[in-house]
Amino acid sequence: MPSNIALFSAIVGEQHVLTNKDDLENYGQDWSRLYTPAPSFILRPGTTAEVSKIMAVAYEHEIAVVPSGGRTGLSGGAVALNGEVVISLERMNQISSFNSVDRTVTCGAGVITQQLQEYALEQNLYYPVDFASAGSSHIGGNIATNAGGIKVLKYGLTRDWVVGLTLVTAKGEILKLNKGLVKNATGYDLRHLIIGSEGTLGIVTEAEMTLTDQPKNPTVMLLALESLSDVSNLLVHFQSAMDLLAFEFFSHQALQKVLTHRDVKKPFEHDANFYVLMEFESDGDEAMESALAAFEQAAENEWLVDGLISQSQQQAEELWVYREGISESISHYPPYKNDIAVKPSQVGDFLQQVDHFVNENYPDFENIWFGHIGDGNLHLNILKPENLGLEDFKQQCAKANPSIFTILQSFDGSISAEHGVGLVKKDYLSFSRSDIEIQLMKSIKRTFDPINILNPGKLFK
Amino acid sequence: MKLMVTVKRVVDYNVKVRVKDDQSGIETANVKMSMNPFCEIAVEEAIRFKEKGVATEVVVVSIGPAQCQETLRTALALGADRAILVKTDEEIQPLAVAKLLQKIAEKESPNAIIMGKQSIDGDNNQSGQMLAALLDWPQGTFASEVSIADGKATVTREVDGGLETIALDLPAIVTTDLRLNEPRFASLPNIMKAKRKPLDVLSTEDLGVDVTPRVKTLKVAPPATRQAGVKVESVQELVDKLKNEAKVI
């Protein structure tokens, strides 16, 4: 390996090549924490030109690379298992050339999501892609996984905010994709092929992102529900009455975990089985009147049993804690996480079937449900019982996978809604994609990466 | 027992305040306004006294523009029984606030008035004390614990260096500090019910109070921006900077 290091340190400079044990472990894995990282060394290039030179050398010497962002992924997409060279883009964290007419901004791949959100606010604009790990995740990683999060209902996914990409190919060529255009009907849109490709087709070094207006007076309602059977009615009902920004749900068990983990007050005097957290724009009295009337009607229809509403920005944030604090409050168990999606109209039925399956076959396991009802994305978390060893628990969960995915397949659902496939889900890709689709995807991979050096071993078996 | 609570509508605690270009004040157009956090605590405390059966009626009072009705409706939704708005578009300074509240207190004759210790916009911390003086009532300011029994209020006060517990003869004024309680969320069913609770609107003339400002604001300026930090490469460099730049060692 040392000869390799010399080739690369000539490009990035010795101080940006990391080889010590802690760095290898840290840069070699994401938050999935299921694999033992084993990268050869870490490179921290500072420019697109450096990444291009790195890839030219890697291609010539057939050295596999793993691109690395904030490493907050949960599917093992950024894990280096087999002596790959990790290319961390964290030094490319500059935001530049804001254009107020186009409302676009150019970000290095290493810009942290929250950094872009805050930059947008300074321009009196808004970057709407948001999720619990926004304080650590990178824009480059968001693009690689087409990150979604809590505002997808209104604002869509990362894909919807990328108007230009700078891509370094396996051979080190530099491509500028779509170049910030709004309209561009000139054949295959390679930009969209790259978004969500998990670093298997090229390395994104820079992105032009578009910004939008800030939501007006976002207000949060927390609703208490006895069951989820009427939840799609609720969604339609509130969607017609107000401008929804988010429509999230969580189970009572999930709330219990947050209340135990965080020092927050109980939201309702009486417990319910499920809760819906709804955020909407409340611009003026009329919008608020309409929201209140919609609540009254829903209560009359017995679709919900109680509700709260934020009276200040502070309270809106306090209410979000009940939803956003869930992942953190169960992380120590550790949970078996499943990020799956069905059509929003089928959430209730699907959830019932899976819940039934898990309760029947794994009566000792505790299920924590939460997710984004508004876009059909559910997070099923099964908690490890205290008396069960970690390896046993992992094995039992792996056995449950095919059954859960078979139910999912019957709903035409997705085995990975927003976390990506990476290593964790690659064995199950065929539950969501047909054989022909997978063959086509593999031939695309070969076209972009003929000698399989870009994040090898991810996505496909 | 009747309790009177005062609430002020202020720029939301979480909003980053911007100074107007002409430095005449802060930007309030299209800015989220909410109940002053200390007033929320005052409302919560009064409602708890009602829930415990100590108080029978909670009257909530606000002074300001028509939009203060929203703030009052919030207090009604939280559990207050009726509301009074002194409607004015003038700038009302602490002394005028105290005089207006004095007139209302004389009319309502509450057994106690619970107020926030200060509002987060003016940060004056004066209205409660001035009102106590005007009414010639005892005052327990910066309360972190309040109990009411046998015509007396026992108030634990947050003072420099510790806590002080005092007993006040009712009627009295209590102003709330942060640790007194944790306000609840407004429940939607209660917001519906609050729409039917009475809300009276008065003018400063109705109360016969001269509210002309006594203090003139000359200029409002944002605090100086902090310089960004720098990373040093070595301990030597750090020591050098501490010695020669910061001159602290």
Side-chain angles (χ1 to χ4, degrees):
Chain A
M1 257 335 142
S3 60
N4 279 342
I5 288 203
L7 290 174
F8 292 113
S9 68
I11 299 168
V12 294
E14 244 168 70
Q15 70 273 35
H16 297 304
V17 182
L18 309 177
T19 53
N20 80 53
K21 193 172 153 279
D22 286 350
D23 285 331
L24 295 182
E25 190 172 326
N26 178 23
Y27 284 84
Q29 65 178 328
D30 61 7
W31 278 1
S32 58
R33 296 283 184 272
L34 294 167
Y35 309 94
T36 313
S40 290
F41 48 89
I42 319 297
L43 300 177
R44 298 168 68 243
T47 62
T48 299
E50 285 181 10
V51 176
S52 157
K53 284 180 195 161
I54 290 171
M55 286 317 298
V57 171
Y59 190 79
E60 192 189 327
H61 297 266
E62 298 189 28
I63 297 165
V65 302
V66 174
S68 172
R71 296 183 302 280
T72 57
L74 295 163
S75 293
V79 174
L81 279 181
N82 305 308
E84 298 95 332
V85 173
V86 170
I87 303 178
S88 166
L89 295 139
E90 66 188 356
R91 282 177 63 221
M92 299 184 63
N93 60 353
Q94 286 85 27
I95 299 181
S96 59
S97 59
F98 168 66
N99 185 312
S100 60
V101 178
D102 300 333
R103 291 183 155 191
T104 57
V105 61
T106 304
C107 299
V111 166
I112 292 169
T113 314
Q114 193 179 335
Q115 200 186 332
L116 177 57
Q117 291 169 343
E118 282 166 9
Y119 181 89
L121 292 181
E122 279 167 32
Q123 318 304 322
N124 256 322
L125 289 169
Y126 190 60
Y127 180 65
V129 179
D130 193 18
F131 37 80
S133 60
S136 318
S137 73
H138 291 186
I139 292 299
N142 294 354
I143 290 169
T145 54
N146 189 19
I150 51 181
K151 302 279 167 70
V152 172
L153 179 63
K154 161 99 179 175
Y155 297 106
L157 303 148
T158 300
R159 182 183 299 290
D160 299 295
W161 302 93
V162 178
V163 287
L165 281 185
T166 303
L167 184 82
V168 175
T169 67
K171 295 178 185 170
E173 300 132 322
I174 297 170
L175 303 181
K176 299 267 185 190
L177 305 177
N178 200 57
K179 300 179 190 132
L181 294 171
V182 179
K183 289 190 168 185
N184 181 12
T186 53
Y188 308 140
D189 193 333
L190 298 181
R191 158 191 55 160
H192 283 304
L193 186 58
I194 299 304
I195 298 167
S197 66
E198 305 189 22
T200 62
L201 301 181
I203 299 181
V204 172
T205 57
E206 215 172 58
E208 259 178 276
M209 308 300 290
T210 176
L211 306 175
T212 187
D213 290 319
Q214 294 172 9
K216 298 200 173 69
N217 192 21
T219 302
V220 175
M221 272 192 190
L222 185 66
L223 310 173
L225 279 63
E226 278 313 326
S227 86
L228 281 185
S229 51
D230 293 314
V231 80
S232 17
N233 289 336
L234 266 187
L235 176 62
V236 174
H237 176 71
F238 282 115
Q239 236 166 353
S240 66
M242 52 234 248
D243 208 346
L244 292 187
L245 299 166
F247 195 88
E248 304 276 307
F249 94 106
F250 47 93
S251 63
H252 184 63
Q253 288 92 324
L255 175 67
Q256 286 295 95
K257 298 295 171 199
V258 177
L259 293 181
T260 320
H261 184 72
R262 300 274 286 256
D263 185 24
V264 287
K265 60 195 166 202
K266 236 176 116 183
F268 294 101
E269 207 180 317
H270 302 288
D271 297 341
N273 291 323
F274 292 98
Y275 304 94
V276 163
L277 185 149
M278 192 164 67
E279 188 167 39
F280 60 102
E281 284 187 85
S282 172
D283 188 21
D285 295 346
E286 235 171 82
M288 188 51 87
E289 282 305 312
S290 169
L292 293 179
F295 173 82
E296 216 165 15
Q297 185 60 49
E300 236 165 73
N301 297 355
E302 296 184 353
W303 289 340
L304 47 81
V305 288
D306 205 349
L308 302 173
I309 185 164
S310 65
Q311 299 288 325
S312 62
Q313 195 56 37
Q314 174 73 20
Q315 287 194 350
E317 283 172 27
E318 284 173 28
L319 288 171
W320 264 113
V321 168
Y322 297 124
R323 164 64 186 84
E324 289 215 285
I326 298 171
S327 263
E328 187 190 302
S329 72
I330 57 176
S331 64
H332 62 282
Y333 273 88
Y336 157 75
K337 290 174 106 60
N338 241 321
D339 159 51
I340 46 194
V342 293
K343 280 178 273 196
S345 59
Q346 296 180 317
V347 164
D349 291 343
F350 172 73
L351 197 137
Q352 239 170 3
Q353 283 195 28
V354 175
D355 219 26
H356 181 77
F357 166 79
V358 179
N359 289 335
E360 196 94 319
N361 294 280
Y362 302 92
D364 300 336
F365 286 10
E366 196 179 358
N367 288 351
I368 302 288
W369 283 102
F370 61 95
H372 324 285
I373 293 244
D375 54 45
N377 179 188
L378 304 173
H379 296 290
L380 164 63
N381 288 257
I382 300 174
L383 305 188
K384 186 182 85 61
E386 232 171 272
N387 53 16
L388 193 67
L390 181 62
E391 280 312 312
D392 277 353
F393 175 66
K394 273 204 246 175
Q395 258 179 22
Q396 295 208 31
C397 290
K399 264 192 252 163
N401 265 340
S403 309
I404 293 174
F405 292 151
T406 304
I407 301 174
L408 190 61
Q409 198 170 20
S410 72
F411 281 84
D412 278 338
S414 171
I415 57 154
S416 183
E418 59 180 2
H419 293 173
V421 176
L423 294 168
V424 173
K425 294 280 180 75
K426 65 175 184 172
D427 288 343
Y428 308 104
L429 191 58
S430 59
F431 284 92
S432 284
R433 299 297 200 103
S434 73
D435 290 347
I436 300 173
E437 262 186 295
I438 293 172
Q439 285 315 316
L440 281 170
M441 279 165 49
K442 283 183 174 170
S443 61
I444 291 170
K445 163 76 172 163
R446 278 193 297 275
T447 305
F448 274 83
D449 184 18
I451 57 170
N452 197 27
I453 55 170
L454 287 167
N455 211 9
K458 314 290 157 53
L459 205 49
F460 309 110
K461 264 198 270 192
Chain B
M1 168 174 300
K2 186 199 265 191
L3 294 177
M4 185 167 131
V5 183
T6 57
V7 296
K8 185 173 182 184
R9 180 181 160 86
V10 297
V11 171
D12 191 282
Y13 169 74
N14 279 36
V15 168
K16 198 173 166 209
V17 173
R18 285 173 206 258
V19 172
K20 280 185 187 164
D21 289 342
D22 65 0
Q23 298 198 316
S24 63
I26 58 155
E27 199 59 72
T28 52
N30 294 321
V31 169
K32 168 89 176 160
M33 307 288 282
S34 302
M35 190 188 294
N36 177 43
F38 292 106
C39 302
E40 281 186 319
I41 294 170
V43 172
E44 177 68 30
E45 196 63 15
I47 297 163
R48 288 186 189 184
F49 278 122
K50 202 183 158 199
E51 285 169 347
K52 278 186 247 169
V54 176
T56 48
E57 190 185 19
V58 175
V59 182
V60 58
V61 182
S62 189
I63 302 167
Q67 293 91 322
C68 289
Q69 292 195 25
E70 277 172 36
T71 317
L72 288 168
R73 289 283 171 208
T74 299
L76 293 173
L78 291 170
D81 297 289
R82 69 193 166 82
I84 299 167
L85 169 64
V86 182
K87 194 177 143 205
T88 169
D89 292 319
E90 304 296 314
E91 181 200 345
I92 306 289
Q93 294 180 346
L95 181 59
V97 170
K99 285 180 177 172
L100 290 166
L101 292 176
Q102 179 196 7
K103 295 290 174 196
I104 294 172
E106 283 167 1
K107 224 162 76 180
E108 293 284 340
S109 321
N111 300 80
I113 302 176
I114 308 181
M115 307 169 71
K117 72 167 180 180
Q118 68 194 64
S119 58
I120 60 168
D121 51 359
D123 267 350
N124 288 305
N125 186 347
Q126 293 174 351
S127 299
Q129 293 87 333
M130 286 176 168
L131 177 59
L134 290 172
L135 287 168
D136 198 20
W137 290 4
Q139 56 181 300
T141 50
F142 317 136
S144 64
E145 206 182 324
V146 183
S147 60
I148 296 177
D150 309 323
K152 276 191 195 311
T154 308
V155 177
T156 303
R157 305 180 59 227
E158 302 215 348
V159 293
D160 289 346
L163 298 172
E164 175 188 58
T165 305
I166 56 171
L168 311 172
D169 289 323
L170 296 182
I173 308 275
V174 173
T175 74
T176 63
D177 218 318
L178 267 187
R179 273 166 286 267
L180 179 58
N181 60 48
E182 205 182 341
R184 68 195 68 188
F185 294 110
S187 107
L188 281 155
N190 287 341
I191 286 182
M192 301 301 167
K193 285 180 209 150
K195 286 186 185 171
R196 292 186 288 273
K197 290 184 180 175
L199 192 160
D200 295 324
V201 180
L202 304 173
S203 67
T204 52
E205 292 79 28
D206 291 340
L207 296 169
V209 174
D210 174 14
V211 296
T212 316
R214 305 292 182 91
V215 179
K216 194 175 154 199
T217 301
L218 300 178
K219 190 172 98 173
V220 176
T225 47
R226 265 181 66 190
Q227 297 252 321
V230 287
K231 269 189 188 167
V232 292
E233 293 291 335
S234 65
V235 175
Q236 284 88 333
E237 197 190 336
L238 177 66
V239 172
D240 178 66
K241 278 193 187 295
L242 289 174
K243 225 180 232 166
N244 300 318
E245 249 178 66
K247 297 193 165 66
V248 289
I249 55 171

